[in-house]
Amino acid sequence: MKARVQKATKNLSPKQMEKVFLKVAAYFSVLSEPTRLRIMYAICAGEKSVSEVVEMCSSSQANVSRHLLALHKAGILLRRKEGVTVYYSIADNATVEMCQSVCAKIAEGIH
């Protein structure tokens, strides 16, 4: 991953990098909400309907729907509709890998 990051940012000016940093901070702010992390955890094993996510997260449909929308708008989740049922899936596995890596690191210290 380090090589990929260096290639992507290697030729950017400080001003361009500042734009990158702002967008990265906004991206991380979307992931900084515990309910959104629970949703990601629920969906990372495969596509789920809104009602499945609600059940897995033990939260209200209104609350889960609000967070699903934020994750979708950020480009973290994909959404598809089949009849009246809406399904969500992971848009980018790199985000899941990053979240799993951070969760594993934090879990090491909890015993």
Side-chain angles (χ1 to χ4, degrees):
M1 179 159 152
K2 187 176 180 182
R4 187 172 111 195
V5 171
Q6 289 176 342
K7 281 183 183 180
T9 61
K10 186 170 113 175
N11 295 320
L12 296 181
S13 70
K15 187 174 183 177
Q16 291 170 315
M17 282 305 299
E18 191 57 35
K19 288 180 183 179
V20 169
F21 296 143
L22 290 171
K23 287 186 178 207
V24 169
Y27 189 80
F28 281 136
S29 75
V30 171
L31 293 173
S32 70
E33 217 294 332
T35 300
R36 293 179 190 158
L37 294 174
R38 279 192 285 282
I39 289 169
M40 292 287 295
Y41 183 75
I43 295 175
C44 73
E47 182 181 74
K48 302 280 186 299
S49 68
V50 173
S51 59
E52 289 173 309
V53 176
V54 167
E55 187 177 318
M56 292 177 80
C57 293
S58 300
S59 190
S60 70
Q61 177 159 352
N63 190 40
V64 167
S65 292
R66 180 174 60 88
H67 291 297
L68 285 167
L69 181 61
L71 289 163
H72 179 259
K73 281 185 174 181
I76 296 169
L77 296 181
L78 298 173
R79 173 174 60 191
R80 74 175 181 87
K81 194 170 185 179
E82 192 173 290
V84 295
T85 305
V86 179
Y87 293 90
Y88 285 89
S89 60
I90 300 298
D92 180 11
N93 282 330
T95 301
V96 172
E97 291 169 11
M98 177 188 62
C99 288
Q100 288 174 337
S101 177
V102 172
C103 286
K105 176 67 178 162
I106 299 301
E108 287 175 2
I110 298 175
H111 290 286

